[in-house]
Amino acid sequence: MKKSDLSKVTKKLNLSARLNKINVIKNRRILILIRNILNKNKKSIIESINKDVGKSRKDAENEFKGSLNIWNYVIKNINSIQKNKKIKFNKTEKGEITYKPIGLVAFITPWNYPLLTLSERLPFCLATGSTAIIKQSEYSKNLKNILFKILNKNKELINILHVLKNTDYKTGIALCSDENISAISFVGSTETGKKIAIQTSSTLKKTYLELGGKNAAIITKKANFKLSVDEIIKGIFENGGQACVGISRLIINKNIAKEFSKLLISKIEKINRNKKFFIQQPANKQQRKKILKLIRFINKNHKNKIFKKFNLGSKKYTPIFLKPNINDKYFVNKEFFFPIITVETFEKLSEAIKINNQSKYGLAAYIFTEDKDEFKMISDGLNSGRIWHNSSLVWSPSLPVGGFNLSGQDRDMGQKGFENYITSKSIYIRKVNV
């Protein structure tokens, strides 16, 4: 799409949003219509996710189910959008705060959870009367084609961009600098997030960024070992490790580290022997190339730190467990997007918190303990936007998502999800006696 053509689209969508009011009855009908369209096309959407990302059928179905849950949450809770307020100061003076849609929002979504990440944001936007232009990853071509076909019918609300591979980057830049766009919502790598922050500075549009993560599971002496092992395995191998909230660090109490690591590795091997493991390969050519380069680098430069390599269906893409040196910045701050797991130990809970917070990221964390006081102390101290307690990767749309530090800025979903897409006017009124 040419920049001039894109500008025509954004201008029309922006005008539509400016003319809208926060009409919950009308907007709920729109959300129900879109949810029903998604449901009607469930089979083809699931198949497209399966093809684009390489997920198992079950994982693709779970992504669809999780996405529909969010649409249902927004439909149910649309009345919680901020309402206009009147404030009386004295007999002759009063104030009003009025709310309106923020305008046109550009959504730039990733390939690893193409429907879920969009659903965490788009229904909240449409609920307020704001409009949307959507640029999906070039690696989500099958899903993009389906959404283009089923959602682009009402172009006053949504436009799914049909971007050619060689113009993908240029289109992203054009969206960031477009004066018709009021906000950018981006989910993806920290590197790209930094570029978006710079590219949007010329128009000072709002940016909502959920970026990378280097997420730790903290296991204390008071953890339930069986539960912890099962949940950690889910967190490590979710989507083949291609999950920004996936587990890539284990921070284990020193007294149980040897026993727990042995139990974890044994369970992984047992699941694999019983052929109950779906080993998902890196989703696309770029990701495969990146992972092979990382594995070669670790085998060459950090061989002495490796204590377990798995051959889970592929000799090329080998999950690795390592014990890095203390304060090893490479492993603390490198997001692998693949099951390359570091194991670190602690003696005091305060030390576990410190080790976690050494990372420049702060997207997610997992705490395994059956002691409520331990959990409270650790969770209070962690610089992590999302925290799981004795669980992994289950979530509710009522809870916001987002990260600290290099993991992004602002939050999506929950009540905050609605607030992102409205703006306010403050009015001071004085009664004049004639």
Side-chain angles (χ1 to χ4, degrees), residues 221-266:
K221 288 190 293 185
K222 297 180 180 179
N224 179 314
F225 277 27
K226 184 181 184 306
L227 179 147
S228 303
V229 164
D230 290 344
E231 294 298 324
I232 287 169
I233 289 172
K234 289 180 194 174
I236 289 173
F237 292 98
E238 165 68 16
N239 202 28
Q242 300 165 142
C244 57
V245 294
I247 296 172
S248 57
R249 301 174 72 194
L250 301 180
I251 303 173
I252 313 173
N253 180 277
K254 194 172 184 179
N255 295 326
I256 64 168
K258 188 174 181 179
E259 179 187 359
F260 189 86
S261 299
K262 185 178 179 181
L263 186 64
L264 178 64
I265 289 168
S266 175

mmCIF file of all heavy atoms in Angstrom, residues 221-266:
data_model
loop_
_atom_site.group_PDB
_atom_site.id
_atom_site.type_symbol
_atom_site.label_atom_id
_atom_site.label_comp_id
_atom_site.label_asym_id
_atom_site.label_seq_id
_atom_site.Cartn_x
_atom_site.Cartn_y
_atom_site.Cartn_z
ATOM 1 N N LYS A 221 11.714 -23.535 49.236
ATOM 2 C CA LYS A 221 11.711 -24.827 49.931
ATOM 3 C C LYS A 221 10.291 -25.288 50.244
ATOM 4 O O LYS A 221 10.038 -26.475 50.429
ATOM 5 C CB LYS A 221 12.511 -24.732 51.235
ATOM 6 C CG LYS A 221 14.010 -24.643 51.034
ATOM 7 C CD LYS A 221 14.758 -24.796 52.342
ATOM 8 C CE LYS A 221 14.512 -23.618 53.278
ATOM 9 N NZ LYS A 221 15.331 -23.707 54.514
ATOM 10 N N LYS A 222 9.374 -24.337 50.287
ATOM 11 C CA LYS A 222 7.997 -24.661 50.657
ATOM 12 C C LYS A 222 7.102 -24.856 49.436
ATOM 13 O O LYS A 222 5.880 -24.784 49.528
ATOM 14 C CB LYS A 222 7.438 -23.575 51.568
ATOM 15 C CG LYS A 222 8.196 -23.473 52.894
ATOM 16 C CD LYS A 222 7.634 -22.392 53.788
ATOM 17 C CE LYS A 222 8.421 -22.314 55.105
ATOM 18 N NZ LYS A 222 7.900 -21.249 55.998
ATOM 19 N N ALA A 223 7.715 -25.112 48.304
ATOM 20 C CA ALA A 223 6.949 -25.352 47.080
ATOM 21 C C ALA A 223 6.460 -26.785 47.034
ATOM 22 O O ALA A 223 7.099 -27.704 47.569
ATOM 23 C CB ALA A 223 7.813 -25.063 45.855
ATOM 24 N N ASN A 224 5.331 -27.006 46.391
ATOM 25 C CA ASN A 224 4.847 -28.343 46.063
ATOM 26 C C ASN A 224 5.608 -28.785 44.810
ATOM 27 O O ASN A 224 5.387 -28.259 43.720
ATOM 28 C CB ASN A 224 3.343 -28.295 45.800
ATOM 29 C CG ASN A 224 2.760 -29.641 45.428
ATOM 30 O OD1 ASN A 224 3.298 -30.360 44.601
ATOM 31 N ND2 ASN A 224 1.633 -29.978 46.029
ATOM 32 N N PHE A 225 6.505 -29.756 44.952
ATOM 33 C CA PHE A 225 7.402 -30.117 43.857
ATOM 34 C C PHE A 225 6.652 -30.604 42.620
ATOM 35 O O PHE A 225 6.946 -30.183 41.499
ATOM 36 C CB PHE A 225 8.385 -31.199 44.324
ATOM 37 C CG PHE A 225 9.573 -30.662 45.068
ATOM 38 C CD1 PHE A 225 9.496 -29.464 45.763
ATOM 39 C CD2 PHE A 225 10.781 -31.345 45.075
ATOM 40 C CE1 PHE A 225 10.586 -28.962 46.452
ATOM 41 C CE2 PHE A 225 11.876 -30.851 45.755
ATOM 42 C CZ PHE A 225 11.784 -29.660 46.451
ATOM 43 N N LYS A 226 5.693 -31.502 42.815
ATOM 44 C CA LYS A 226 4.989 -32.073 41.662
ATOM 45 C C LYS A 226 4.243 -30.992 40.887
ATOM 46 O O LYS A 226 4.355 -30.903 39.664
ATOM 47 C CB LYS A 226 4.013 -33.160 42.124
ATOM 48 C CG LYS A 226 3.313 -33.875 40.963
ATOM 49 C CD LYS A 226 2.332 -34.925 41.453
ATOM 50 C CE LYS A 226 1.710 -35.684 40.274
ATOM 51 N NZ LYS A 226 1.093 -34.804 39.273
ATOM 52 N N LEU A 227 3.482 -30.175 41.607
ATOM 53 C CA LEU A 227 2.750 -29.087 40.956
ATOM 54 C C LEU A 227 3.712 -28.137 40.250
ATOM 55 O O LEU A 227 3.482 -27.736 39.101
ATOM 56 C CB LEU A 227 1.905 -28.338 41.989
ATOM 57 C CG LEU A 227 1.088 -27.142 41.504
ATOM 58 C CD1 LEU A 227 -0.203 -27.037 42.295
ATOM 59 C CD2 LEU A 227 1.861 -25.831 41.612
ATOM 60 N N SER A 228 4.781 -27.772 40.929
ATOM 61 C CA SER A 228 5.738 -26.807 40.376
ATOM 62 C C SER A 228 6.369 -27.326 39.090
ATOM 63 O O SER A 228 6.484 -26.600 38.098
ATOM 64 C CB SER A 228 6.833 -26.501 41.405
ATOM 65 O OG SER A 228 6.286 -26.017 42.601
ATOM 66 N N VAL A 229 6.783 -28.592 39.101
ATOM 67 C CA VAL A 229 7.405 -29.192 37.910
ATOM 68 C C VAL A 229 6.439 -29.171 36.731
ATOM 69 O O VAL A 229 6.800 -28.777 35.617
ATOM 70 C CB VAL A 229 7.876 -30.633 38.215
ATOM 71 C CG1 VAL A 229 8.158 -31.402 36.925
ATOM 72 C CG2 VAL A 229 9.125 -30.610 39.079
ATOM 73 N N ASP A 230 5.203 -29.593 36.964
ATOM 74 C CA ASP A 230 4.215 -29.640 35.879
ATOM 75 C C ASP A 230 3.957 -28.248 35.295
ATOM 76 O O ASP A 230 3.895 -28.073 34.066
ATOM 77 C CB ASP A 230 2.899 -30.231 36.393
ATOM 78 C CG ASP A 230 3.006 -31.719 36.687
ATOM 79 O OD1 ASP A 230 3.969 -32.345 36.215
ATOM 80 O OD2 ASP A 230 2.123 -32.247 37.399
ATOM 81 N N GLU A 231 3.799 -27.256 36.172
ATOM 82 C CA GLU A 231 3.505 -25.896 35.704
ATOM 83 C C GLU A 231 4.710 -25.264 35.010
ATOM 84 O O GLU A 231 4.568 -24.527 34.028
ATOM 85 C CB GLU A 231 3.044 -25.024 36.871
ATOM 86 C CG GLU A 231 1.717 -25.440 37.490
ATOM 87 C CD GLU A 231 0.551 -25.369 36.517
ATOM 88 O OE1 GLU A 231 0.531 -24.451 35.675
ATOM 89 O OE2 GLU A 231 -0.330 -26.247 36.591
ATOM 90 N N ILE A 232 5.911 -25.537 35.508
ATOM 91 C CA ILE A 232 7.124 -24.984 34.902
ATOM 92 C C ILE A 232 7.350 -25.564 33.505
ATOM 93 O O ILE A 232 7.737 -24.845 32.574
ATOM 94 C CB ILE A 232 8.340 -25.222 35.818
ATOM 95 C CG1 ILE A 232 8.262 -24.287 37.033
ATOM 96 C CG2 ILE A 232 9.661 -25.003 35.070
ATOM 97 C CD1 ILE A 232 9.253 -24.609 38.130
ATOM 98 N N ILE A 233 7.092 -26.852 33.339
ATOM 99 C CA ILE A 233 7.228 -27.471 32.011
ATOM 100 C C ILE A 233 6.284 -26.795 31.014
ATOM 101 O O ILE A 233 6.659 -26.507 29.876
ATOM 102 C CB ILE A 233 6.969 -28.988 32.082
ATOM 103 C CG1 ILE A 233 8.128 -29.677 32.813
ATOM 104 C CG2 ILE A 233 6.805 -29.584 30.680
ATOM 105 C CD1 ILE A 233 7.903 -31.138 33.110
ATOM 106 N N LYS A 234 5.054 -26.518 31.463
ATOM 107 C CA LYS A 234 4.123 -25.773 30.598
ATOM 108 C C LYS A 234 4.703 -24.427 30.211
ATOM 109 O O LYS A 234 4.648 -24.008 29.049
ATOM 110 C CB LYS A 234 2.791 -25.550 31.324
ATOM 111 C CG LYS A 234 1.935 -26.768 31.518
ATOM 112 C CD LYS A 234 0.661 -26.353 32.251
ATOM 113 C CE LYS A 234 -0.101 -27.552 32.783
ATOM 114 N NZ LYS A 234 -1.255 -27.100 33.606
ATOM 115 N N GLY A 235 5.244 -23.721 31.205
ATOM 116 C CA GLY A 235 5.769 -22.371 30.970
ATOM 117 C C GLY A 235 6.985 -22.341 30.078
ATOM 118 O O GLY A 235 7.205 -21.388 29.336
ATOM 119 N N ILE A 236 7.801 -23.403 30.153
ATOM 120 C CA ILE A 236 9.018 -23.468 29.328
ATOM 121 C C ILE A 236 8.690 -23.785 27.874
ATOM 122 O O ILE A 236 9.208 -23.161 26.949
ATOM 123 C CB ILE A 236 9.999 -24.516 29.887
ATOM 124 C CG1 ILE A 236 10.611 -24.029 31.210
ATOM 125 C CG2 ILE A 236 11.113 -24.818 28.875
ATOM 126 C CD1 ILE A 236 11.456 -25.078 31.913
ATOM 127 N N PHE A 237 7.814 -24.777 27.669
ATOM 128 C CA PHE A 237 7.592 -25.294 26.314
ATOM 129 C C PHE A 237 6.335 -24.737 25.639
ATOM 130 O O PHE A 237 6.018 -25.137 24.520
ATOM 131 C CB PHE A 237 7.537 -26.821 26.347
ATOM 132 C CG PHE A 237 8.868 -27.444 26.684
ATOM 133 C CD1 PHE A 237 9.144 -27.851 27.983
ATOM 134 C CD2 PHE A 237 9.845 -27.586 25.717
ATOM 135 C CE1 PHE A 237 10.377 -28.405 28.301
ATOM 136 C CE2 PHE A 237 11.078 -28.141 26.024
ATOM 137 C CZ PHE A 237 11.347 -28.552 27.323
ATOM 138 N N GLU A 238 5.641 -23.822 26.284
ATOM 139 C CA GLU A 238 4.476 -23.180 25.668
ATOM 140 C C GLU A 238 4.844 -22.576 24.314
ATOM 141 O O GLU A 238 5.799 -21.802 24.187
ATOM 142 C CB GLU A 238 3.946 -22.083 26.600
ATOM 143 C CG GLU A 238 2.992 -21.101 25.970
ATOM 144 C CD GLU A 238 1.656 -21.694 25.590
ATOM 145 O OE1 GLU A 238 1.317 -22.795 26.063
ATOM 146 O OE2 GLU A 238 0.937 -21.045 24.806
ATOM 147 N N ASN A 239 4.096 -22.961 23.287
ATOM 148 C CA ASN A 239 4.310 -22.420 21.938
ATOM 149 C C ASN A 239 5.748 -22.626 21.460
ATOM 150 O O ASN A 239 6.303 -21.799 20.749
ATOM 151 C CB ASN A 239 3.942 -20.935 21.903
ATOM 152 C CG ASN A 239 3.621 -20.447 20.501
ATOM 153 O OD1 ASN A 239 3.173 -21.215 19.657
ATOM 154 N ND2 ASN A 239 3.863 -19.179 20.249
ATOM 155 N N GLY A 240 6.365 -23.734 21.880
ATOM 156 C CA GLY A 240 7.745 -24.012 21.488
ATOM 157 C C GLY A 240 8.740 -23.024 22.066
ATOM 158 O O GLY A 240 9.829 -22.829 21.525
ATOM 159 N N GLY A 241 8.376 -22.395 23.198
ATOM 160 C CA GLY A 241 9.240 -21.372 23.792
ATOM 161 C C GLY A 241 9.056 -20.006 23.171
ATOM 162 O O GLY A 241 9.678 -19.033 23.600
ATOM 163 N N GLN A 242 8.191 -19.930 22.161
ATOM 164 C CA GLN A 242 7.966 -18.669 21.447
ATOM 165 C C GLN A 242 6.842 -17.886 22.112
ATOM 166 O O GLN A 242 5.798 -17.630 21.533
ATOM 167 C CB GLN A 242 7.639 -18.957 19.978
ATOM 168 C CG GLN A 242 8.750 -19.703 19.263
ATOM 169 C CD GLN A 242 8.313 -20.298 17.947
ATOM 170 O OE1 GLN A 242 9.074 -20.303 16.993
ATOM 171 N NE2 GLN A 242 7.103 -20.818 17.860
ATOM 172 N N ALA A 243 7.067 -17.549 23.383
ATOM 173 C CA ALA A 243 6.069 -16.832 24.167
ATOM 174 C C ALA A 243 6.787 -15.777 24.996
ATOM 175 O O ALA A 243 7.725 -16.090 25.726
ATOM 176 C CB ALA A 243 5.302 -17.791 25.080
ATOM 177 N N CYS A 244 6.328 -14.519 24.883
ATOM 178 C CA CYS A 244 7.009 -13.445 25.607
ATOM 179 C C CYS A 244 6.885 -13.608 27.116
ATOM 180 O O CYS A 244 7.710 -13.094 27.866
ATOM 181 C CB CYS A 244 6.476 -12.080 25.167
ATOM 182 S SG CYS A 244 4.696 -11.886 25.372
ATOM 183 N N VAL A 245 5.853 -14.338 27.587
ATOM 184 C CA VAL A 245 5.696 -14.574 29.023
ATOM 185 C C VAL A 245 6.182 -15.963 29.435
ATOM 186 O O VAL A 245 5.994 -16.378 30.578
ATOM 187 C CB VAL A 245 4.228 -14.393 29.478
ATOM 188 C CG1 VAL A 245 3.785 -12.956 29.325
ATOM 189 C CG2 VAL A 245 3.298 -15.342 28.726
ATOM 190 N N GLY A 246 6.824 -16.691 28.518
ATOM 191 C CA GLY A 246 7.329 -18.023 28.830
ATOM 192 C C GLY A 246 8.456 -17.981 29.857
ATOM 193 O O GLY A 246 9.106 -16.959 30.074
ATOM 194 N N ILE A 247 8.696 -19.121 30.497
ATOM 195 C CA ILE A 247 9.740 -19.229 31.520
ATOM 196 C C ILE A 247 11.087 -19.500 30.863
ATOM 197 O O ILE A 247 11.228 -20.427 30.070
ATOM 198 C CB ILE A 247 9.417 -20.353 32.522
ATOM 199 C CG1 ILE A 247 8.138 -20.021 33.296
ATOM 200 C CG2 ILE A 247 10.577 -20.580 33.491
ATOM 201 C CD1 ILE A 247 7.627 -21.151 34.162
ATOM 202 N N SER A 248 12.091 -18.681 31.187
ATOM 203 C CA SER A 248 13.442 -18.899 30.666
ATOM 204 C C SER A 248 14.518 -18.876 31.766
ATOM 205 O O SER A 248 15.685 -19.081 31.480
ATOM 206 C CB SER A 248 13.789 -17.845 29.606
ATOM 207 O OG SER A 248 13.652 -16.543 30.145
ATOM 208 N N ARG A 249 14.079 -18.612 33.006
ATOM 209 C CA ARG A 249 15.008 -18.643 34.143
ATOM 210 C C ARG A 249 14.372 -19.431 35.285
ATOM 211 O O ARG A 249 13.186 -19.272 35.545
ATOM 212 C CB ARG A 249 15.320 -17.224 34.648
ATOM 213 C CG ARG A 249 15.934 -16.294 33.625
ATOM 214 C CD ARG A 249 16.057 -14.882 34.209
ATOM 215 N NE ARG A 249 17.094 -14.777 35.226
ATOM 216 C CZ ARG A 249 17.232 -13.748 36.062
ATOM 217 N NH1 ARG A 249 16.370 -12.743 36.020
ATOM 218 N NH2 ARG A 249 18.207 -13.723 36.941
ATOM 219 N N LEU A 250 15.173 -20.247 35.951
ATOM 220 C CA LEU A 250 14.747 -20.919 37.171
ATOM 221 C C LEU A 250 15.611 -20.402 38.312
ATOM 222 O O LEU A 250 16.846 -20.477 38.240
ATOM 223 C CB LEU A 250 14.895 -22.440 37.050
ATOM 224 C CG LEU A 250 14.116 -23.119 35.921
ATOM 225 C CD1 LEU A 250 14.379 -24.627 35.934
ATOM 226 C CD2 LEU A 250 12.628 -22.846 36.028
ATOM 227 N N ILE A 251 14.981 -19.859 39.336
ATOM 228 C CA ILE A 251 15.684 -19.362 40.521
ATOM 229 C C ILE A 251 15.215 -20.229 41.687
ATOM 230 O O ILE A 251 14.087 -20.087 42.162
ATOM 231 C CB ILE A 251 15.376 -17.868 40.755
ATOM 232 C CG1 ILE A 251 15.756 -17.051 39.509
ATOM 233 C CG2 ILE A 251 16.123 -17.346 41.977
ATOM 234 C CD1 ILE A 251 15.335 -15.580 39.579
ATOM 235 N N ILE A 252 16.084 -21.155 42.122
ATOM 236 C CA ILE A 252 15.682 -22.212 43.040
ATOM 237 C C ILE A 252 16.437 -22.092 44.368
ATOM 238 O O ILE A 252 17.637 -21.779 44.385
ATOM 239 C CB ILE A 252 15.969 -23.600 42.425
ATOM 240 C CG1 ILE A 252 15.477 -23.670 40.971
ATOM 241 C CG2 ILE A 252 15.325 -24.700 43.249
ATOM 242 C CD1 ILE A 252 15.871 -24.956 40.249
ATOM 243 N N ASN A 253 15.730 -22.366 45.447
ATOM 244 C CA ASN A 253 16.398 -22.394 46.749
ATOM 245 C C ASN A 253 17.565 -23.381 46.702
ATOM 246 O O ASN A 253 17.426 -24.511 46.212
ATOM 247 C CB ASN A 253 15.407 -22.796 47.842
ATOM 248 C CG ASN A 253 16.052 -22.827 49.211
ATOM 249 O OD1 ASN A 253 16.687 -23.804 49.593
ATOM 250 N ND2 ASN A 253 15.898 -21.743 49.951
ATOM 251 N N LYS A 254 18.696 -22.954 47.226
ATOM 252 C CA LYS A 254 19.940 -23.719 47.125
ATOM 253 C C LYS A 254 19.816 -25.120 47.713
ATOM 254 O O LYS A 254 20.400 -26.081 47.195
ATOM 255 C CB LYS A 254 21.058 -22.955 47.846
ATOM 256 C CG LYS A 254 22.458 -23.442 47.552
ATOM 257 C CD LYS A 254 23.482 -22.506 48.153
ATOM 258 C CE LYS A 254 24.902 -22.931 47.766
ATOM 259 N NZ LYS A 254 25.904 -21.998 48.327
ATOM 260 N N ASN A 255 19.039 -25.265 48.776
ATOM 261 C CA ASN A 255 18.924 -26.550 49.461
ATOM 262 C C ASN A 255 18.133 -27.595 48.673
ATOM 263 O O ASN A 255 18.233 -28.792 48.953
ATOM 264 C CB ASN A 255 18.272 -26.366 50.836
ATOM 265 C CG ASN A 255 19.129 -25.550 51.769
ATOM 266 O OD1 ASN A 255 20.361 -25.628 51.728
ATOM 267 N ND2 ASN A 255 18.504 -24.743 52.612
ATOM 268 N N ILE A 256 17.333 -27.152 47.724
ATOM 269 C CA ILE A 256 16.513 -28.093 46.952
ATOM 270 C C ILE A 256 16.873 -28.096 45.465
ATOM 271 O O ILE A 256 16.274 -28.834 44.684
ATOM 272 C CB ILE A 256 15.012 -27.782 47.100
ATOM 273 C CG1 ILE A 256 14.696 -26.390 46.499
ATOM 274 C CG2 ILE A 256 14.560 -27.876 48.551
ATOM 275 C CD1 ILE A 256 13.218 -26.097 46.328
ATOM 276 N N ALA A 257 17.845 -27.271 45.072
ATOM 277 C CA ALA A 257 18.139 -27.062 43.646
ATOM 278 C C ALA A 257 18.499 -28.356 42.916
ATOM 279 O O ALA A 257 17.999 -28.627 41.816
ATOM 280 C CB ALA A 257 19.246 -26.037 43.489
ATOM 281 N N LYS A 258 19.347 -29.174 43.531
ATOM 282 C CA LYS A 258 19.796 -30.401 42.882
ATOM 283 C C LYS A 258 18.643 -31.381 42.708
ATOM 284 O O LYS A 258 18.422 -31.934 41.626
ATOM 285 C CB LYS A 258 20.918 -31.049 43.696
ATOM 286 C CG LYS A 258 21.583 -32.231 43.007
ATOM 287 C CD LYS A 258 22.770 -32.730 43.814
ATOM 288 C CE LYS A 258 23.450 -33.905 43.114
ATOM 289 N NZ LYS A 258 24.632 -34.389 43.895
ATOM 290 N N GLU A 259 17.886 -31.582 43.781
ATOM 291 C CA GLU A 259 16.756 -32.508 43.749
ATOM 292 C C GLU A 259 15.680 -32.032 42.779
ATOM 293 O O GLU A 259 15.134 -32.818 41.990
ATOM 294 C CB GLU A 259 16.167 -32.646 45.156
ATOM 295 C CG GLU A 259 14.972 -33.569 45.243
ATOM 296 C CD GLU A 259 14.314 -33.545 46.617
ATOM 297 O OE1 GLU A 259 14.794 -32.824 47.513
ATOM 298 O OE2 GLU A 259 13.275 -34.232 46.775
ATOM 299 N N PHE A 260 15.383 -30.727 42.822
ATOM 300 C CA PHE A 260 14.316 -30.190 41.974
ATOM 301 C C PHE A 260 14.703 -30.251 40.499
ATOM 302 O O PHE A 260 13.887 -30.629 39.651
ATOM 303 C CB PHE A 260 14.001 -28.746 42.374
ATOM 304 C CG PHE A 260 12.769 -28.204 41.704
ATOM 305 C CD1 PHE A 260 11.516 -28.420 42.251
ATOM 306 C CD2 PHE A 260 12.858 -27.503 40.510
ATOM 307 C CE1 PHE A 260 10.373 -27.951 41.630
ATOM 308 C CE2 PHE A 260 11.730 -27.020 39.877
ATOM 309 C CZ PHE A 260 10.477 -27.243 40.445
ATOM 310 N N SER A 261 15.953 -29.890 40.174
ATOM 311 C CA SER A 261 16.415 -29.927 38.780
ATOM 312 C C SER A 261 16.357 -31.345 38.229
ATOM 313 O O SER A 261 15.938 -31.572 37.080
ATOM 314 C CB SER A 261 17.842 -29.391 38.685
ATOM 315 O OG SER A 261 17.914 -28.058 39.107
ATOM 316 N N LYS A 262 16.760 -32.326 39.056
ATOM 317 C CA LYS A 262 16.735 -33.733 38.644
ATOM 318 C C LYS A 262 15.309 -34.186 38.364
ATOM 319 O O LYS A 262 15.042 -34.868 37.361
ATOM 320 C CB LYS A 262 17.367 -34.593 39.737
ATOM 321 C CG LYS A 262 17.505 -36.063 39.373
ATOM 322 C CD LYS A 262 18.191 -36.836 40.495
ATOM 323 C CE LYS A 262 18.317 -38.320 40.133
ATOM 324 N NZ LYS A 262 18.967 -39.085 41.247
ATOM 325 N N LEU A 263 14.382 -33.781 39.229
ATOM 326 C CA LEU A 263 12.975 -34.146 39.064
ATOM 327 C C LEU A 263 12.382 -33.515 37.810
ATOM 328 O O LEU A 263 11.643 -34.163 37.054
ATOM 329 C CB LEU A 263 12.191 -33.693 40.303
ATOM 330 C CG LEU A 263 10.723 -34.100 40.387
ATOM 331 C CD1 LEU A 263 10.591 -35.616 40.477
ATOM 332 C CD2 LEU A 263 10.067 -33.447 41.603
ATOM 333 N N LEU A 264 12.729 -32.257 37.553
ATOM 334 C CA LEU A 264 12.231 -31.538 36.384
ATOM 335 C C LEU A 264 12.711 -32.190 35.095
ATOM 336 O O LEU A 264 11.921 -32.450 34.174
ATOM 337 C CB LEU A 264 12.688 -30.075 36.444
ATOM 338 C CG LEU A 264 12.305 -29.178 35.268
ATOM 339 C CD1 LEU A 264 10.796 -29.015 35.176
ATOM 340 C CD2 LEU A 264 12.973 -27.807 35.400
ATOM 341 N N ILE A 265 14.004 -32.481 35.021
ATOM 342 C CA ILE A 265 14.579 -33.094 33.817
ATOM 343 C C ILE A 265 14.008 -34.485 33.597
ATOM 344 O O ILE A 265 13.679 -34.880 32.468
ATOM 345 C CB ILE A 265 16.119 -33.127 33.930
ATOM 346 C CG1 ILE A 265 16.669 -31.694 33.798
ATOM 347 C CG2 ILE A 265 16.731 -34.026 32.864
ATOM 348 C CD1 ILE A 265 18.119 -31.552 34.169
ATOM 349 N N SER A 266 13.861 -35.223 34.686
ATOM 350 C CA SER A 266 13.303 -36.579 34.601
ATOM 351 C C SER A 266 11.878 -36.547 34.052
ATOM 352 O O SER A 266 11.499 -37.389 33.226
ATOM 353 C CB SER A 266 13.326 -37.225 35.988
ATOM 354 O OG SER A 266 12.694 -38.482 35.963
#
